[in-house]
Amino acid sequence: MKKLLLLLALIPGFMFAQNAEKAKEILDQVTAKTKTYKTIKASFSFSLENLQEDIQEEYTGTIFIKGDKYKANLMDVDTYFDGKTLWTHMIDAEEVNIDEPDPDDEETLNPASIFTIYQTGFKYAYLGEKDSNGTAVYSIDLYPINRDKPYSRIKLEITKDNMQINKIQQISKDGNNYTILINKLESNTPMDDSMFVYNESANPNVDIIDMR
């Protein structure tokens, strides 16, 4: 009886290890494919949900990525990052803030990292295959090793037929859940480095606030 109880006690740990191995296998394939992309252009939906506060907001956006450079548009804000300097153009306010973000700051996480966020600092759990709006996906949960992170887990959906990230959902500790759904992704589209730098001369009436 003691041996049986010991065996039953070991089963959950064994299953978790198998799930983690399967999750890593899938994520390694996603990493390998993503590394072949010189550039990424993606259109996406971004939503914020807080059930306790009865908040449900959804927006659409686009992002262009080349290495650690990016240009994004979301909620009437254009963001440019050339690898060092960040320009945030608030279109309605006719204002641009210039900054040099700390790459280790959680609040200024490079949006380009959404396609590789899983690579370090997480434990994995493979939840299986499922149907997501008619698309077969792998479902994987990421749990941060550092428990001081502002979120408890990140839920990923990986499209089965092309091994690309389909959806990312961050389950935050403050009750806010953020979801990014990739609507369309194009790879290796030619992008000039100048598109990741804000053009002041093209917007002469915009107020410039240099926060560096």
Side-chain angles (χ1 to χ4, degrees):
M1 180 61 73
K2 289 183 178 179
K3 290 183 179 180
L4 178 59
L5 291 175
L6 177 60
L7 178 61
L8 291 174
L10 291 174
I11 287 176
F14 176 71
M15 293 298 293
F16 183 83
Q18 280 193 317
N19 286 344
E21 184 177 340
K22 177 66 174 178
K24 187 178 185 304
E25 177 186 330
I26 293 170
L27 294 175
D28 283 346
Q29 292 182 57
V30 176
T31 299
K33 184 162 188 177
T34 303
K35 284 183 176 180
T36 67
Y37 299 156
K38 294 181 179 179
T39 65
I40 293 175
K41 175 184 176 182
S43 58
F44 62 92
S45 300
F46 172 82
S47 63
L48 163 63
E49 180 184 58
N50 188 314
L51 298 178
Q52 294 177 342
E53 301 293 334
D54 194 26
I55 296 174
Q56 181 71 52
E57 300 176 359
E58 185 170 337
Y59 308 92
T60 58
T62 56
I63 187 167
F64 301 82
I65 300 170
K66 182 179 181 180
D68 61 351
K69 304 177 179 66
Y70 70 87
K71 176 185 175 182
N73 174 267
L74 180 66
M75 298 168 60
D76 292 324
V77 176
D78 284 338
T79 307
Y80 306 77
F81 183 66
D82 66 354
K84 179 183 178 182
T85 304
L86 176 71
W87 292 266
T88 305
H89 180 197
M90 292 163 282
I91 299 172
D92 289 343
E94 295 188 334
E95 179 180 301
V96 171
N97 292 333
I98 307 176
D99 200 1
E100 292 183 359
D102 180 353
D104 297 323
D105 186 352
E106 285 281 346
E107 298 301 320
T108 57
L109 182 67
N110 187 330
S113 69
I114 65 173
F115 296 98
T116 54
I117 192 172
Y118 52 83
Q119 291 183 346
T120 59
F122 291 97
K123 293 181 180 180
Y124 315 129
Y126 174 66
L127 305 182
E129 296 182 26
K130 69 176 186 178
D131 180 275
S132 178
N133 295 322
T135 301
V137 300
Y138 297 115
S139 183
I140 295 173
D141 277 2
L142 308 180
Y143 299 90
I145 296 173
N146 180 359
R147 296 187 178 182
D148 291 332
K149 297 289 186 181
Y151 50 86
S152 58
R153 62 177 166 156
I154 293 177
K155 301 175 69 65
L156 292 182
E157 287 184 3
I158 311 296
T159 304
K160 186 178 179 180
D161 67 348
N162 61 16
M163 300 306 291
Q164 291 178 348
I165 293 179
N166 175 63
K167 184 165 74 172
I168 303 171
Q169 183 177 35
Q170 177 178 295
I171 309 300
S172 300
K173 295 176 180 177
D174 62 3
N176 292 320
N177 297 329
Y178 303 93
T179 301
I180 296 174
L181 177 64
I182 308 300
N183 298 318
K184 183 179 180 181
L185 188 147
E186 301 174 42
S187 60
N188 300 323
T189 302
M191 298 181 189
D192 192 89
D193 288 345
S194 62
M195 73 180 294
F196 306 104
V197 177
Y198 177 74
N199 188 345
E200 293 187 20
S201 61
N203 300 276
N205 298 321
V206 174
D207 291 332
I208 305 293
I209 301 176
D210 197 329
M211 304 169 65
R212 290 173 291 184

